[in-house]
Amino acid sequence: MSYELNYWSTSPLPTIFAVCGAYIALMMLIMCLFMYSKQRKNAYIYMAAAFFFIMTYEGLNIHSAWTGKPVFSPESDVLRFIQLFSFVLLNISVVMLYRKIKTMHYWLPLLSAALLMLPFMLPSFLPYTLDPIWQSIYFDVLQLTALYLAYTQVTPRIGQPIKYALGLAVYVIWTILQAVHTYSGSLSPALQGLALALPVLFYSIVFFILFRRIVELMQSIYRSAITDGLTGLYNRRHFMKHLDHYAAQELKISAIFCDIDNFKKLNDTQGHARADEVLKQVAAIMEEELEGIGITGRYGGEELVALVVDRKAKPAQVAEKIRARVASESIVTISIGYSVLRKGVRGDELMKQADKAMYHSKTTGKNKVSDYRSLKTASTEPTESAG
């Protein structure tokens, strides 16, 4: 963003755009360091390093715009080094946000740094003086190579390819304007203004990509903390938390307790993989039947539970629909019990009642639905779960 200051010497725009770019870089640097402290994901370190270099780059531009005296010439190799190296780090970090890359790819920053340092070291080893234009051509070739790799290797491997491709398009235009300025010596005022704005636009696009990815990762972490890894239903702790919340408000809710019949035999005869498939199939049926009217959870083992919170839904019909679908759509059957919350009953007590009703179904023929209130005598109510 460091250009001749003829037209812009009295304009605040160079300072404004440079400050905006530096501010975005600072915010992203802080965000990345914070995320690394929570998740220890190497992608955040790479991206933090990239935005540290971007902050340095924009800091030099702020100095140039503020004093009217460029720290480096417009074609400075140092500025090109900072710009290109930050771009390489940024692309590596974006890939790492979405994929695990091989250890050998960690050498890419070192290789890039070595290639970028070549124009600084090569002249001292040569017996003759090179035309300064070769350095600009060399950096342009590296920049085109980096852009090509970004389009072909990075964009297809991330979760937001269109948005990132748009950002790269902005970067390409910025690169073209830099090349025009380098080889022609000047840009029109309009193009200079565009060149000032494009880096800020590119940083903003990358910011939104990072922000969205962080939100996705946070949602994934939260989801894994409240759901069962096999079935995708709520885990027992989170399910009971919802149940206790509704019970404390004495709302009209019903608990449904399901147990897959002969599940141990299925495990022993067809293997754990097949049993897991059946468990996921039953869980999917329950989730479909409770959609919009309640929640589902895995209580433990082959025990699946549901909570009906819609006042219009009848738990007996919901339970029977689940039982019938499992019997017709899978290779197993289930025994179900349910209970309706009554005044003064706590959430854990309601679940015990549904469990007892399920046990009654299990011990009186299986593949049936029992209502806790329909149990005839206290002697027929077992004190332990069927398991």
Side-chain angles (χ1 to χ4, degrees):
M1 218 165 71
S2 179
Y3 294 100
E4 291 180 345
L5 302 176
N6 46 16
Y7 180 82
W8 297 98
S9 58
T10 59
S11 172
L13 287 182
T15 303
I16 292 173
F17 282 122
V19 169
C20 288
Y23 179 76
I24 294 173
L26 175 62
M27 291 298 99
M28 294 190 70
L29 173 61
I30 294 173
M31 185 187 302
C32 290
L33 293 177
F34 174 78
M35 291 303 300
Y36 181 77
S37 70
K38 299 297 182 182
Q39 297 185 20
R40 300 297 176 181
K41 193 176 179 68
N42 288 333
Y44 298 122
I45 288 296
Y46 277 87
M47 188 165 284
F51 278 96
F52 172 79
F53 280 104
I54 291 173
M55 282 180 56
T56 303
Y57 179 85
E58 294 298 345
L60 295 174
N61 285 319
I62 291 172
H63 181 276
S64 299
W66 186 260
T67 63
K69 297 178 180 180
V71 178
F72 301 107
S73 64
E75 296 81 18
S76 170
D77 293 338
V78 175
L79 283 178
R80 294 298 301 274
F81 174 91
I82 296 174
Q83 177 190 341
L84 281 171
F85 191 58
S86 64
F87 182 71
V88 171
L89 291 176
L90 202 57
N91 279 277
I92 295 173
S93 64
V94 169
V95 174
M96 293 175 67
L97 281 175
Y98 287 91
R99 292 175 176 268
K100 291 183 177 180
I101 63 176
K102 297 179 181 179
T103 306
M104 59 181 253
H105 289 179
Y106 295 151
W107 292 95
L108 285 176
L110 296 177
L111 176 61
S112 301
L115 291 174
L116 290 169
M117 287 293 294
L118 187 61
F120 300 98
M121 299 183 297
L122 186 60
S124 60
F125 293 98
L126 296 177
Y128 51 87
T129 303
L130 294 173
D131 189 330
I133 197 65
W134 83 270
Q135 295 175 332
S136 296
I137 296 175
Y138 178 80
F139 278 120
D140 288 338
V141 171
L142 288 183
Q143 195 159 35
L144 289 174
T145 302
L147 283 166
Y148 173 78
L149 292 175
Y151 270 112
T152 59
Q153 303 299 320
V154 177
T155 303
R157 288 174 166 78
I158 64 175
Q160 304 176 66
I162 297 177
K163 190 179 296 183
Y164 195 65
L166 176 62
L168 290 177
V170 171
Y171 198 90
V172 167
I173 298 173
W174 182 29
T175 300
I176 293 173
L177 292 177
Q178 284 182 312
V180 170
H181 174 262
T182 299
Y183 298 111
S184 68
S186 63
L187 284 175
S188 67
L191 291 179
Q192 286 191 44
L194 180 61
L196 291 170
L198 287 176
V200 177
L201 179 57
F202 175 69
Y203 305 152
S204 299
I205 293 173
V206 175
F207 172 82
F208 285 116
I209 291 174
L210 175 62
F211 182 79
R212 178 178 169 181
R213 183 54 178 164
I214 289 176
V215 171
E216 290 174 349
L217 291 172
M218 291 293 98
Q219 288 176 336
S220 176
I221 293 172
Y222 176 70
R223 181 74 179 170
S224 65
I226 65 174
T227 59
D228 170 62
L230 178 63
T231 63
L233 306 181
Y234 285 134
N235 57 33
R236 180 171 178 170
R237 181 184 60 82
H238 193 72
F239 180 88
M240 292 303 295
K241 181 179 179 181
H242 275 280
L243 175 58
D244 291 339
H245 173 73
Y246 287 118
Q249 298 183 25
E250 297 186 345
L251 301 176
K252 185 180 178 181
I253 59 173
S254 304
I256 298 176
F257 205 108
C258 307
D259 187 278
I260 300 177
D261 299 325
N262 305 313
F263 192 74
K264 185 179 184 302
K265 182 179 179 181
L266 177 65
N267 258 319
D268 294 339
T269 57
Q270 300 193 35
H272 293 291
R274 178 60 172 155
D276 286 347
E277 290 180 6
V278 171
L279 186 59
K280 288 190 288 186
Q281 185 179 11
V282 174
I285 291 174
M286 290 186 62
E287 197 166 25
E288 289 174 7
E289 292 302 321
L290 270 295
E291 185 176 3
I293 63 172
I295 61 173
T296 53
R298 185 180 183 185
Y299 202 71
E302 69 273 23
E303 298 172 334
L304 305 177
V305 291
L307 188 64
V308 180
V309 299
D310 191 333
R311 297 174 62 89
K312 298 180 181 179
K314 297 181 179 180
Q317 294 180 355
V318 175
E320 176 57 29
K321 186 70 178 295
I322 293 172
R323 185 208 63 78
R325 283 193 60 187
V326 171
S328 62
E329 298 177 20
S330 72
I331 62 173
V332 297
T333 60
I334 57 173
S335 297
I336 303 178
Y338 71 90
S339 181
V340 179
L341 181 68
R342 295 186 297 277
K343 188 174 182 179
V345 176
R346 299 193 310 271
D348 57 341
E349 293 175 344
L350 177 66
M351 189 55 62
K352 289 179 180 178
Q353 293 174 359
D355 186 11
K356 290 180 179 180
M358 180 279 296
Y359 191 89
H360 180 76
S361 296
K362 179 78 73 175
T363 56
T364 57
K366 301 180 180 179
N367 190 27
K368 60 189 296 186
V369 176
S370 297
D371 181 2
Y372 175 76
R373 290 181 298 180
S374 68
L375 303 184
K376 295 181 179 180
T377 62
S379 62
T380 64
E381 297 180 7
T383 59
E384 296 182 359
S385 170

